[in-house]
Amino acid sequence: MRAGLAMPRQSFPHPPRFARRPLPLAGEAKANRGIATLRVLKWIGVAFAVLAVLVAALLFWLLGTQSGARFAIARAIAAAEGKLSIERTSGTLAGPLTLANVRYADPAAG
């Protein structure tokens, strides 16, 4: 290397990012593994709790609101492939639900 291009070595206050670390002692490895396992279990628990809250909110919306009832009825009409028709709905699935002019016509059944 030419003398003019050589860069002076700098000392950093911390080791490089990918520096090799000394191997832990036998007892320390098990303790660190336990901490890592607890950390993973904590994140799994948090993810499960968030999922449970989302499912509860979805069920509340579906069963407790008029828009949830309309959504469920629209899915039922779509699943019936045009054989079911409902003119008007009001209410919730969990409470009093009023359906107006409900018709089910199946040409295959006669």
Side-chain angles (χ1 to χ4, degrees):
M1 192 182 267
R2 293 188 297 195
L5 296 178
M7 297 182 67
R9 288 189 59 98
Q10 297 177 354
S11 63
F12 295 101
H14 55 81
R17 184 174 181 184
F18 299 107
R20 299 192 108 192
R21 296 185 179 117
L23 293 174
L25 299 175
E28 290 177 0
K30 289 183 180 180
N32 289 341
R33 195 174 329 137
I35 292 171
T37 302
L38 288 176
R39 191 173 295 151
V40 168
L41 288 175
K42 179 183 81 167
W43 281 109
I44 289 172
V46 167
F48 183 72
V50 167
L51 182 64
V53 167
L54 287 175
V55 167
L58 178 68
L59 282 175
F60 172 76
W61 171 77
L62 188 66
L63 298 175
T65 63
Q66 287 185 0
S67 63
R70 284 193 305 267
F71 176 81
I73 291 169
R75 299 294 73 78
I77 291 171
E81 298 174 348
K83 299 174 186 174
L84 177 66
S85 67
I86 300 172
E87 187 176 308
R88 191 182 58 211
T89 65
S90 64
T92 65
L93 293 176
L97 179 66
T98 305
L99 303 174
N101 294 336
V102 178
R103 293 194 176 115
Y104 183 79
D106 189 5

